[in-house]
Amino acid sequence: MRLLVKYEGLIILLAATVILRLPSLFEPYWYGDEQIYLAISQGVRKGLVLYRDITDYPNKPPLIYLLAAAAGSVFWFKFMLLMWNAMHVVVVNLLLKKLWGEKKWLVWGGSGAFILLTSLPMLEGNIANGEMFMSMPVTLAMLLLWKAQYSAAGLMLALGFLFKIPVAADIAAAGLIFWVCRHSFKGIISFGLGLAVPIAVVVGIWYGMGVAPIDLVKNMLGSSGYVTNYPLAPRLILVTGLSLGVYLMRKKLGQELVWAGLWLMWALLGATLSGRPYPHYFIQIVVPVIVTVGAMLTGKEKRLKVIVGGIGLALVAVTLVTLKVKPYPVMAYYANFGKWVAGQRVFSDYVASFDRRMPRNYELAYYLKTHTGPGERIYIWGNQPDVYVMAERLPVGKLVTSFHVEDLQAYAATMEWLNHDPPAYVVMMADEPRGFEELKYWVDQYYVETDTIGEAKVYKKL
C-alpha cells in the first residue's frame, strides 16, 4: 500500500496513457508505414535477410523491422508501442524530476503534456512509426548525459539511431551539450564508445549474413535522399548560428536552458530533414519543447530566458506553419471507436472509416490465404502491403509496394524476379495509377483471371 501511495502520481500517468492508447490496439491494418514494416518483417520471420532478400525504400535502420518481426501482427505491434510509450512516460517523468524535482507543477504538468502529445492521434502517436520508438532512448540518453553516465548515454543514442536516421541530429545536440557543459576527455571517450560499439555490432552481424558494410550503410541511409526535397544547408547554417548564440550566452542562460535550447534546435532540424508535413515527424521535438518551456520558467534571468526560449519555440511554430503541418482529428477518432464498441457500427464500416479500401483488402487477403499454401508466394501491383500481412504470404521479389518499384526504377528487376519465381496469384489493382505494361502483358500470357474483388483483379497461374 505504501508503494502505491509513493508512486501514486506515476501510476495515474501510466493509467492515462493506457486509456488513451486503448483504441489503437483495435485499429485495422490500414496505415502504410506500419504495414510495410510488417510485410518486410514477415519475410524476416520466414528466413529472408533484411536488405538483401527483402527491403524498403527509403530504408530505415534494422530495429523497426526487427520489432515488427517480433510483433507479427498489427495488434501486437500496437501493444509494443503502448508499452514502449509507457516506458517513455516514466523516463520523461524522471528527467523532469531530475531537473525540477522541487517544482511539482512543472514535473507533473510536463509529464501530462507529454502523454497528450504522444498518445492522442494528433501527431500520429497511435501509429507504430520509427519516431515513436526512437524518441524514448534519446530522452533516456539525455537524462543519462545530465547524470554524467556517458557510456550509457552513447549506448541509448545508438539504440535510437538504429531505429531511424534523424537521431543523428540528437547525437549532434548531445555532442554540443557535452562540449558546452561537460569538459571531460575521459567522458567523451566513454560516450563515443557507447555510441559506436552497438552500430559496429549491427554492421558486423549483417556482414555475416552477406550484406557488405557499404551496402548496409547505403540501406540505412536510404532516407537521406529525402533531404534533397528541402535544402539542408540554410537550415544547418541557421541552427549552427543559433547554437553559437546559445554558447556565447551560456553563463547567463544557465545550464538547463543551454541544454534544452541546443537539443530543441537540433531535434527540429532532424524532424524537418525531408521537409514533409507529416505530423509524426514532430514527435522528435516533443520532449525538447517541454524541457525548453520548463527552463524558461525557472531560475534567474527569467526575462532573458523567456526571450531566448521564445525564439526557439517561435522557430517551431514558424516551421509548423511553413510546412502546413495539420494535426489529425482527436474527437472523431475516439467517437468512431466508441460507436464500434457500443455496437452502433459494424466492423466493415469501422475499418472503412480509416481507409475506404479496408473492407476490400480484408476480403482479398482472406481469398489469397484460402487459395494458396503457406509456402506459395503472391504478387500485388499496388500499394497494399497489408494484404501480404493479413494473407500471411510473401511477395515475389524484394519490394512490397508499387511505389517502391517506381522510386527505384526496378521494373526490369521485378520482371526478372517474377520470371524466376512465378507467384501462384497475381493481383492487379485497377485503382493503381502507376502503369506497368510489361507486367500486364506477362500476366495475360501466363495467368487467367479468376475473380474481381472491388478494384482488385485476381489472376491465377496457368
Side-chain angles (χ1 to χ4, degrees):
M1 191 65 182
R2 288 180 181 177
L3 201 62
L4 290 175
V5 173
K6 182 180 179 180
Y7 295 105
E8 178 183 12
L10 189 57
I11 291 170
I12 291 171
L13 291 176
L14 293 175
T17 301
V18 172
I19 291 169
L20 291 175
R21 287 193 163 276
L22 189 61
S24 72
L25 299 179
F26 301 94
E27 289 184 20
Y29 289 78
W30 74 282
Y31 194 88
D33 286 353
E34 282 182 341
Q35 307 319 312
I36 289 171
Y37 300 148
L38 287 168
I40 290 172
S41 68
Q42 180 178 225
V44 174
R45 287 164 66 95
K46 294 185 178 182
L48 301 185
V49 174
L50 179 63
Y51 306 129
R52 188 192 71 189
D53 302 327
I54 192 163
T55 193
D56 196 355
Y57 184 81
N59 275 298
K60 282 77 174 176
L63 289 190
I64 189 70
Y65 304 107
L66 298 183
L67 206 60
S73 70
V74 73
F75 173 86
W76 289 113
F77 206 14
K78 300 279 196 182
F79 183 79
M80 285 181 175
L81 177 59
L82 186 155
M83 299 303 294
W84 197 272
N85 191 238
M87 287 190 291
H88 201 173
V89 170
V90 174
V91 172
V92 168
N93 189 254
L94 290 173
L95 175 63
L96 297 180
K97 282 181 178 178
K98 184 67 178 177
L99 294 172
W100 304 294
E102 75 285 357
K103 299 185 185 301
K104 291 186 177 181
W105 62 272
L106 196 52
V107 172
W108 300 106
S111 299
F114 172 78
I115 291 171
L116 293 176
L117 288 169
T118 59
S119 294
L120 295 176
M122 66 177 79
L123 295 181
E124 299 179 283
N126 56 311
I127 304 299
N129 254 317
E131 286 76 8
M132 287 298 298
F133 290 106
M134 77 183 194
S135 56
M136 190 276 283
V138 169
T139 303
L140 182 54
M142 292 301 183
L143 172 60
L144 292 166
L145 191 62
W146 187 267
K147 296 168 70 174
Q149 297 178 17
Y150 304 126
S151 180
L155 178 64
M156 286 299 104
L157 284 170
L159 181 64
F161 181 81
L162 289 170
F163 274 110
K164 206 163 183 185
I165 296 299
V167 170
D170 297 282
I171 293 171
L176 286 171
I177 290 167
F178 203 106
W179 177 61
V180 173
C181 303
R182 314 275 185 185
H183 298 285
S184 166
F185 179 75
K186 186 181 290 186
I188 196 68
I189 295 298
S190 296
F191 176 79
L193 286 173
L195 178 63
V197 169
I199 296 172
V201 167
V202 167
V203 171
I205 290 172
W206 259 264
Y207 179 70
M209 293 190 290
V211 181
I214 187 63
D215 292 331
L216 179 62
V217 170
K218 285 179 180 178
N219 276 300
M220 288 172 59
L221 296 177
S223 56
S224 62
Y226 274 27
V227 176
T228 58
N229 295 293
Y230 196 55
L232 177 62
R235 290 172 288 152
L236 191 56
I237 292 169
L238 175 62
V239 170
T240 302
L242 291 172
S243 298
L244 179 60
V246 169
Y247 172 73
L248 294 174
M249 293 186 289
R250 65 191 184 281
K251 291 182 180 179
K252 289 187 177 182
L253 294 177
Q255 192 164 270
E256 289 89 349
L257 187 55
V258 169
W259 182 70
L262 290 172
W263 186 14
L264 174 61
M265 288 183 290
W266 287 90
L268 182 61
L269 178 67
T272 59
L273 278 177
S274 72
R276 285 167 166 77
Y278 302 135
H280 66 266
Y281 288 169
F282 294 89
I283 292 290
Q284 187 169 358
I285 67 168
V286 168
V287 180
V289 164
I290 291 170
V291 176
T292 298
V293 171
M296 288 167 58
L297 301 177
T298 57
K300 299 177 181 179
E301 298 283 358
K302 284 188 179 179
R303 184 177 179 181
L304 179 61
K305 287 184 174 182
V306 169
I307 292 172
V308 173
I311 291 171
L313 297 178
L315 191 59
V316 171
V318 169
T319 301
L320 294 174
V321 172
T322 302
L323 293 180
K324 299 180 181 179
V325 179
K326 295 181 180 179
Y328 279 77
V330 174
M331 297 308 296
Y333 175 81
Y334 288 101
N336 184 43
F337 177 72
K339 288 179 181 178
W340 178 58
V341 170
Q344 298 174 10
R345 176 164 287 182
V346 297
F347 181 74
S348 60
D349 290 342
Y350 174 67
V351 299
S353 68
F354 290 87
D355 186 323
R356 65 171 184 79
R357 300 170 296 180
M358 280 297 98
R360 177 203 69 189
N361 287 4
Y362 272 84
E363 184 180 354
L364 176 60
Y366 179 77
Y367 178 95
L368 293 169
K369 186 174 182 178
T370 55
H371 285 75
T372 59
E376 291 184 297
R377 295 198 181 199
I378 59 176
Y379 188 75
I380 301 167
W381 181 245
N383 292 318
Q384 280 74 39
D386 52 297
V387 175
Y388 292 121
V389 180
M390 290 188 286
E392 298 179 17
R393 300 293 181 265
L394 291 177
V396 169
K398 298 181 181 182
L399 305 173
V400 299
T401 71
S402 59
F403 77 80
H404 287 161
V405 175
E406 181 182 58
D407 289 348
L408 290 168
Q409 287 298 294
Y411 294 99
T414 298
M415 291 309 306
E416 184 178 336
W417 295 328
L418 290 168
N419 279 301
H420 180 263
D421 184 16
Y425 282 84
V426 173
V427 179
M428 303 291 288
M429 294 294 184
D431 55 352
E432 170 53 50
R434 298 168 184 84
F436 196 169
E437 292 302 319
E438 189 176 355
L439 174 62
K440 290 179 182 178
Y441 178 76
W442 185 79
V443 168
D444 287 341
Q445 278 191 311
Y446 301 110
Y447 287 76
V448 61
E449 184 176 346
T450 57
D451 272 287
T452 299
I453 301 173
E455 299 89 349
K457 291 187 176 182
V458 183
Y459 297 85
K460 183 180 180 180
K461 186 170 67 172
L462 292 170

